[in-house]
Amino acid sequence: MTYYPQQLDPGAQSILLGEIRRIIAQAPLYTPTMPRSGKPMSVRMTNAGPLGWVTDKERGYRYQTTHPVTGEPWPAIPPMLLALWNEVAGYPHPPEACLINYYGGAAKMGLHQDRDEADFDAPVLSVSLGDTGIFRVGGTTRKSPTQKFELKSGDVFVLGGEDRLAFHGIDRVLPGTSNLLDEGGRFNLTLRRVTRLG
DNA sequence: GAGTACCA
DNA sequence: GCAG
C-alpha cells in the first residue's frame, strides 16, 4: 500500500530543512558509486541515525554505522522525524536509518527496490523538500506497469505493505517549482527500519 | 540471460 | 520536448 498521510506546512518544512543543514554540516553530502562498475550516481547522499545506506564499487549496497568519507558516526535522526514516524508508520520500533538524498540540476534515480534491509514489515517513509520530483512507482517485478506522481515540497509518502518492495525511482526534478532551497533542487529523506526486532 | 539505485 |  502506498499513501500520503500528510503534508508538512511551510513552517515545519523550514524547521526540518534547518535540521538537515545541521546534519550535512557534520556529515557532508558525498557522491556514491555503483557496485562493480564504480559509476557515480547523480544524487548526492548522506545519512542520519545509527545506520546509514551507502554504496561503492568495492563493497556494494549496504548499511554501516559510519560516514564513508569522514569515518565518523552518522548524526542523530532529528526528533521531529521520529515523531512523524510514530504518527504515520504504524510500526512499533523506531527507524534506524534516515537516508538524505540531494537532487541537484539533472539528478535522477533509476527504478529500484529498497531491499537492503532485514525487515520488510516496516514501511519506508519519505519526506520531500524543495523542487517537485517526478516519482515513478511500479510493482514488485521490473515488468509490472508504472505510474507517475509528483512529489512536492512537504509531501510525506509511505511505501508499505504490498508496496514495500515496489520498484520506484525519480525520473527528474522540475527546476524552479519551490523557493524553499536557495540553491534549488530537491532533498528526499527516507526513514527505514534496517534490522529485525527492536 | 541475468540483473540492472548506472546507462541507453 | 516526452514516453516507456
Side-chain angles (χ1 to χ4, degrees):
Chain A
M1 119 222 343
T2 62
Y3 54 102
Y4 293 93
Q6 59 175 281
Q7 245 274 145
L8 301 180
D9 64 49
Q13 291 177 43
S14 60
I15 291 169
L16 180 54
L17 178 62
E19 299 288 333
I20 300 312
R21 300 254 192 245
R22 198 173 45 70
I23 290 165
I24 290 171
Q26 212 185 315
L29 292 168
Y30 70 97
T31 300
T33 56
M34 294 294 287
R36 302 203 291 310
S37 70
K39 291 201 164 151
M41 295 179 61
S42 56
V43 299
R44 292 191 299 144
M45 290 184 177
T46 189
N47 289 267
L51 290 171
W53 188 88
V54 298
T55 172
D56 58 32
K57 179 177 163 120
E58 294 75 21
R59 298 179 58 200
Y61 307 155
R62 66 199 186 272
Y63 283 91
Q64 65 179 40
T65 57
T66 56
H67 191 291
V69 177
T70 67
E72 295 293 317
W74 306 106
I77 298 176
M80 66 183 290
L81 286 176
L82 297 175
L84 183 66
W85 174 274
N86 288 337
E87 280 176 51
V88 144
Y91 192 78
H93 303 295
E96 295 164 295
C98 176
L99 175 61
I100 299 169
N101 287 155
Y102 175 69
Y103 295 77
K108 58 194 160 57
M109 189 171 297
L111 273 188
H112 68 279
Q113 291 175 301
D114 290 3
R115 55 177 310 153
D116 302 311
E117 302 76 30
D119 189 348
F120 296 145
D121 295 335
V124 172
L125 189 161
S126 134
V127 182
S128 298
L129 292 174
D131 285 338
T132 298
I134 306 296
F135 181 69
R136 184 179 290 277
V137 213
T140 37
T141 77
R142 285 200 178 267
K143 9 195 17 157
S144 40
T146 60
Q147 269 188 286
K148 288 191 301 180
F149 295 99
E150 292 195 347
L151 291 182
K152 297 183 163 57
S153 195
D155 283 353
V156 177
F157 178 73
V158 176
L159 270 179
E162 290 285 290
D163 296 319
R164 172 61 182 74
L165 291 172
F167 280 89
H168 60 281
I170 291 286
D171 289 355
R172 66 205 169 91
V173 170
L174 306 179
T177 45
S178 163
N179 52 20
L180 184 69
L181 309 184
D182 294 332
E183 71 272 41
R186 169 176 187 266
F187 280 109
N188 185 71
L189 319 175
T190 54
L191 295 171
R192 298 121 182 251
R193 180 78 203 172
V194 178
T195 64
R196 231 157 212 306
L197 306 180

